[in-house]
Amino acid sequence: HRQGVDRHLIGLQILSEMSGESPKPAFFTDKAFIESKKYVLSTSNISGGGDSSPIWGGFSAMYTEGYGVCYLITNDRLTFSIAAYHNYPETSTAQFKRALEEALIEMRELCLTRNVIYIGRS
């Protein structure tokens, strides 16, 4: 989310809370900061290496209008678990899956046409 800065900001917020500083720094009570923590797309890589267990799970979206996506990367495949709440009419795991498949196919085709996928030694 936001190019990975969310983890750093959460870390700073936790440090601030642990310090007991009062009042909280204005940055952490700013509306923009609070809104920036609303993760409509929440992802997690659960890859564990070449001999990792094929048994794995997923997690739900953090917000009703969002998605939760777990992904597993192995040498020969990408596996995804896509979750969304059924009671929110604007989310659809089927549509998300189709869009993800299309994007992955486009990326594969782009890489193959540009001859940038190297297998083995380069």
Side-chain angles (χ1 to χ4, degrees), residues 27-111:
F27 179 81
F28 298 117
T29 58
D30 185 86
K31 182 176 167 85
F33 175 73
I34 293 166
E35 284 295 313
S36 77
K37 295 188 332 179
K38 187 172 184 180
Y39 306 112
V40 177
L41 176 60
S42 181
T43 64
S44 183
N45 178 344
I46 57 168
S47 304
D51 58 350
S52 62
S53 170
I55 300 171
W56 62 292
F59 56 94
S60 68
M62 294 180 71
Y63 292 91
T64 305
E65 64 273 21
Y67 293 93
V69 180
C70 270
Y71 58 98
L72 173 70
I73 301 170
T74 63
N75 289 336
D76 61 346
R77 75 178 61 185
L78 301 172
T79 305
F80 296 88
S81 171
I82 304 165
Y85 291 98
H86 294 282
N87 62 345
Y88 192 74
E90 295 182 29
T91 58
S92 166
T93 55
Q95 287 179 349
F96 190 101
K97 177 186 172 201
R98 280 192 297 277
L100 178 61
E101 287 172 339
E102 289 172 12
L104 290 169
I105 289 168
E106 285 180 24
M107 287 190 289
R108 180 181 183 273
E109 289 172 356
L110 176 66
C111 289

